Amino acid sequence: MFSFKKCDGCEKDLQMGSAKYNVRVEITSDFDGFLPDYEDDEDAAMCSVLDHLGQMSAEELEQDVHLEAEMTLCKACRDRLVDSIEGLRDEDDFEPKSKCRANLH
Ligand SMILES: [Zn+2]
């Protein structure tokens, strides 16, 4: 019995020849060295950071700094993902490749 790949978003069977998308997500922490709430008191800032780290598990900490995920999605889930990315960016036209094109000029 041949088993189909399933969509990682909705568990739908991805039939042979149907539209499916491989998605790779990588999130890395962007730390600029600035701690907004404690700029006047470096000791307090360090304590706060250490407290915060102490409350997180190693796995949580790792995911907070670097999260990588790969999945296969059906078209509907892929469209939902793109929609939510568009929402995050709060722009009318979301064109991931526009930067690359600009560099060609
Ligand atoms: Zn799906």
Side-chain angles (χ1 to χ4, degrees):
M1 173 79 190
F2 183 83
S3 70
F4 295 113
K5 262 184 143 172
K6 282 183 187 295
C7 168
D8 288 318
C10 65
E11 302 282 304
K12 193 175 86 172
D13 283 340
L14 296 168
Q15 312 270 339
M16 295 281 284
S18 68
K20 45 189 171 291
Y21 302 85
N22 291 315
V23 180
R24 190 163 171 275
V25 181
E26 187 177 344
I27 301 173
T28 54
S29 167
D30 181 36
F31 182 57
D32 57 13
F34 182 68
L35 298 164
D37 294 330
Y38 300 100
E39 62 259 45
D40 295 331
D41 190 338
E42 277 184 32
D43 284 345
M46 192 48 76
C47 284
S48 167
V49 170
L50 291 178
D51 273 0
H52 183 58
L53 296 186
Q55 286 161 12
M56 299 170 80
S57 72
E59 198 180 334
E60 277 176 332
L61 193 57
E62 167 89 26
Q63 288 200 347
D64 199 43
V65 174
H66 185 205
L67 173 66
E68 216 177 305
E70 277 190 65
M71 52 199 147
T72 306
L73 297 179
C74 68
K75 181 158 190 340
C77 290
R78 175 258 181 212
D79 287 349
R80 263 192 305 157
L81 180 65
V82 171
D83 276 354
S84 65
I85 292 171
E86 284 176 359
L88 279 177
R89 289 174 59 99
D90 196 23
E91 285 174 18
D92 293 334
D93 296 314
F94 176 55
E95 284 195 65
K97 285 182 179 152
S98 58
K99 243 186 189 170
C100 301
R101 266 190 233 122
N103 287 341
L104 291 175
H105 293 299

